[in-house]
Amino acid sequence: MLGVMVIRLSDDKKPPGPRKEGKGDRQTGLVLDERTRTKKPPMYKVLLHNDDYTTREFVVWVLQSVFHKNETDATAIMSHVHTNGVGIAGVYTFEVAETKVTKTQHLAKAQQFPLQLSIEPTES
Ligand code: TYC
């Protein structure tokens, strides 16, 4: 009598099956292949908080040297934070946001400024 050997293949050893289609783009309605659709990573805001002791000059310098803002944008962000209490220094992936916060905290500590930053997820 002939025997039958069953070989189970784990998913990653199986030949590619029929292409699965995604749920479709929210804006265009286009349905694309799930394996080739590029997913955007979650993004995070780095927030700068106002205080009474950090100099405006230092905040502008940090925004230029750590957050790569030009002088005009850096000055506008600093003024916004000074007036409103909080503002966005930039929007990044989590690791980049964390690195910029850590760098800025070290720079502020070295000058004995109490500058505070925080990270907040974006809506999308
Ligand atoms: N309020 C500070 C001052 O008058 C300036 C300042 C702006 C501090 C923004 C922190 O995140 C800040 N010297």
Side-chain angles (χ1 to χ4, degrees), residues 48-56 59 78 81-82 115:
L48 256 183
H49 299 266
N50 189 37
D51 67 74
D52 292 338
Y53 304 101
T54 308
T55 62
R56 292 169 184 242
V59 176
M78 182 281 297
V81 175
H82 175 74
L115 184 62

Side-chain angles (χ1 to χ4, degrees), residues 92-110:
Y92 310 95
T93 56
F94 188 79
E95 260 197 71
V96 174
E98 236 188 351
T99 303
K100 289 188 188 293
V101 167
T102 304
K103 274 186 189 166
T104 304
Q105 284 169 339
H106 281 120
L107 292 166
K109 268 217 177 88

Side-chain angles (χ1 to χ4, degrees), residues 43-105:
M43 300 298 280
Y44 296 83
K45 293 182 265 191
V46 172
L47 300 179
L48 256 183
H49 299 266
N50 189 37
D51 67 74
D52 292 338
Y53 304 101
T54 308
T55 62
R56 292 169 184 242
E57 184 190 25
F58 178 79
V59 176
V60 171
W61 175 76
V62 154
L63 285 164
Q64 290 183 266
S65 52
V66 178
F67 295 90
H68 305 296
K69 305 296 179 188
N70 63 39
E71 193 175 355
T72 304
D73 289 352
T75 304
I77 294 167
M78 182 281 297
S79 294
H80 174 93
V81 175
H82 175 74
T83 305
N84 299 289
V86 65
I88 301 170
V91 178
Y92 310 95
T93 56
F94 188 79
E95 260 197 71
V96 174
E98 236 188 351
T99 303
K100 289 188 188 293
V101 167
T102 304
K103 274 186 189 166
T104 304
Q105 284 169 339

